[in-house]
PDB file of all heavy atoms in Angstrom:
ATOM      1  N   PHE A 235       6.205  42.339 -23.382  1.00 95.00           N
ATOM      2  CA  PHE A 235       6.463  43.771 -23.349  1.00 95.00           C
ATOM      3  C   PHE A 235       6.503  44.228 -21.893  1.00 95.00           C
ATOM      4  O   PHE A 235       5.512  44.101 -21.171  1.00 95.00           O
ATOM      5  CB  PHE A 235       5.364  44.519 -24.112  1.00 95.00           C
ATOM      6  CG  PHE A 235       5.691  45.956 -24.424  1.00 95.00           C
ATOM      7  CD1 PHE A 235       6.139  46.321 -25.683  1.00 95.00           C
ATOM      8  CD2 PHE A 235       5.543  46.941 -23.466  1.00 95.00           C
ATOM      9  CE1 PHE A 235       6.434  47.636 -25.976  1.00 95.00           C
ATOM     10  CE2 PHE A 235       5.834  48.252 -23.742  1.00 95.00           C
ATOM     11  CZ  PHE A 235       6.276  48.607 -25.004  1.00 95.00           C
ATOM     12  N   PHE A 236       7.665  44.757 -21.473  1.00 94.00           N
ATOM     13  CA  PHE A 236       7.828  45.268 -20.116  1.00 94.00           C
ATOM     14  C   PHE A 236       7.962  46.793 -20.160  1.00 94.00           C
ATOM     15  O   PHE A 236       8.549  47.355 -21.092  1.00 94.00           O
ATOM     16  CB  PHE A 236       9.083  44.708 -19.450  1.00 94.00           C
ATOM     17  CG  PHE A 236       9.085  43.214 -19.282  1.00 94.00           C
ATOM     18  CD1 PHE A 236      10.070  42.434 -19.866  1.00 94.00           C
ATOM     19  CD2 PHE A 236       8.111  42.591 -18.536  1.00 94.00           C
ATOM     20  CE1 PHE A 236      10.082  41.060 -19.704  1.00 94.00           C
ATOM     21  CE2 PHE A 236       8.108  41.217 -18.371  1.00 94.00           C
ATOM     22  CZ  PHE A 236       9.099  40.451 -18.955  1.00 94.00           C
ATOM     23  N   THR A 237       7.410  47.443 -19.149  1.00 92.00           N
ATOM     24  CA  THR A 237       7.694  48.861 -18.946  1.00 92.00           C
ATOM     25  C   THR A 237       8.455  49.014 -17.643  1.00 92.00           C
ATOM     26  O   THR A 237       8.255  48.250 -16.696  1.00 92.00           O
ATOM     27  CB  THR A 237       6.407  49.708 -18.890  1.00 92.00           C
ATOM     28  OG1 THR A 237       5.652  49.352 -17.729  1.00 92.00           O
ATOM     29  CG2 THR A 237       5.561  49.489 -20.128  1.00 92.00           C
ATOM     30  N   SER A 238       9.351  49.999 -17.619  1.00 90.00           N
ATOM     31  CA  SER A 238      10.202  50.203 -16.447  1.00 90.00           C
ATOM     32  C   SER A 238      10.292  51.687 -16.144  1.00 90.00           C
ATOM     33  O   SER A 238      10.635  52.486 -17.027  1.00 90.00           O
ATOM     34  CB  SER A 238      11.604  49.633 -16.705  1.00 90.00           C
ATOM     35  OG  SER A 238      12.481  49.921 -15.639  1.00 90.00           O
ATOM     36  N   LEU A 239       9.974  52.052 -14.920  1.00 88.00           N
ATOM     37  CA  LEU A 239      10.061  53.439 -14.485  1.00 88.00           C
ATOM     38  C   LEU A 239      11.489  53.741 -14.051  1.00 88.00           C
ATOM     39  O   LEU A 239      12.056  53.050 -13.196  1.00 88.00           O
ATOM     40  CB  LEU A 239       9.091  53.697 -13.334  1.00 88.00           C
ATOM     41  CG  LEU A 239       9.128  55.090 -12.712  1.00 88.00           C
ATOM     42  CD1 LEU A 239       8.707  56.142 -13.726  1.00 88.00           C
ATOM     43  CD2 LEU A 239       8.247  55.147 -11.472  1.00 88.00           C
ATOM     44  N   THR A 240      12.065  54.766 -14.638  1.00 84.00           N
ATOM     45  CA  THR A 240      13.426  55.175 -14.314  1.00 84.00           C
ATOM     46  C   THR A 240      13.382  56.463 -13.522  1.00 84.00           C
ATOM     47  O   THR A 240      12.666  57.402 -13.889  1.00 84.00           O
ATOM     48  CB  THR A 240      14.254  55.391 -15.597  1.00 84.00           C
ATOM     49  OG1 THR A 240      14.193  54.203 -16.395  1.00 84.00           O
ATOM     50  CG2 THR A 240      15.699  55.692 -15.262  1.00 84.00           C
ATOM     51  N   SER A 241      14.121  56.499 -12.446  1.00 72.00           N
ATOM     52  CA  SER A 241      14.165  57.722 -11.643  1.00 72.00           C
ATOM     53  C   SER A 241      14.980  58.774 -12.375  1.00 72.00           C
ATOM     54  O   SER A 241      15.919  58.469 -13.110  1.00 72.00           O
ATOM     55  CB  SER A 241      14.770  57.443 -10.264  1.00 72.00           C
ATOM     56  OG  SER A 241      16.082  56.921 -10.392  1.00 72.00           O
ATOM     57  N   GLY A 242      14.620  60.033 -12.161  1.00 60.00           N
ATOM     58  CA  GLY A 242      15.249  61.116 -12.902  1.00 60.00           C
ATOM     59  C   GLY A 242      16.714  61.327 -12.592  1.00 60.00           C
ATOM     60  O   GLY A 242      17.445  61.871 -13.407  1.00 60.00           O
ATOM     61  N   ASP A 243      17.181  60.890 -11.406  1.00 55.00           N
ATOM     62  CA  ASP A 243      18.566  61.131 -11.017  1.00 55.00           C
ATOM     63  C   ASP A 243      19.474  59.927 -11.276  1.00 55.00           C
ATOM     64  O   ASP A 243      20.608  59.883 -10.846  1.00 55.00           O
ATOM     65  CB  ASP A 243      18.653  61.499  -9.528  1.00 55.00           C
ATOM     66  CG  ASP A 243      18.006  60.437  -8.627  1.00 55.00           C
ATOM     67  OD1 ASP A 243      17.370  59.524  -9.181  1.00 55.00           O
ATOM     68  OD2 ASP A 243      18.149  60.537  -7.393  1.00 55.00           O
ATOM     69  N   SER A 244      18.958  58.909 -11.996  1.00 51.00           N
ATOM     70  CA  SER A 244      19.761  57.717 -12.268  1.00 51.00           C
ATOM     71  C   SER A 244      20.155  57.685 -13.737  1.00 51.00           C
ATOM     72  O   SER A 244      19.693  58.482 -14.546  1.00 51.00           O
ATOM     73  CB  SER A 244      18.967  56.450 -11.914  1.00 51.00           C
ATOM     74  OG  SER A 244      17.814  56.352 -12.730  1.00 51.00           O
ATOM     75  N   ASP A 245      21.020  56.733 -14.057  1.00 53.00           N
ATOM     76  CA  ASP A 245      21.444  56.549 -15.438  1.00 53.00           C
ATOM     77  C   ASP A 245      20.266  56.010 -16.248  1.00 53.00           C
ATOM     78  O   ASP A 245      19.745  54.925 -15.973  1.00 53.00           O
ATOM     79  CB  ASP A 245      22.623  55.571 -15.489  1.00 53.00           C
ATOM     80  CG  ASP A 245      23.175  55.418 -16.895  1.00 53.00           C
ATOM     81  OD1 ASP A 245      22.701  56.122 -17.808  1.00 53.00           O
ATOM     82  OD2 ASP A 245      24.080  54.586 -17.075  1.00 53.00           O
TER      83      ASP A 245
END
Side-chain angles (χ1 to χ4, degrees):
F235 194 100
F236 298 120
T237 66
S238 175
L239 176 64
T240 305
S241 59
D243 55 352
S244 63
D245 184 4

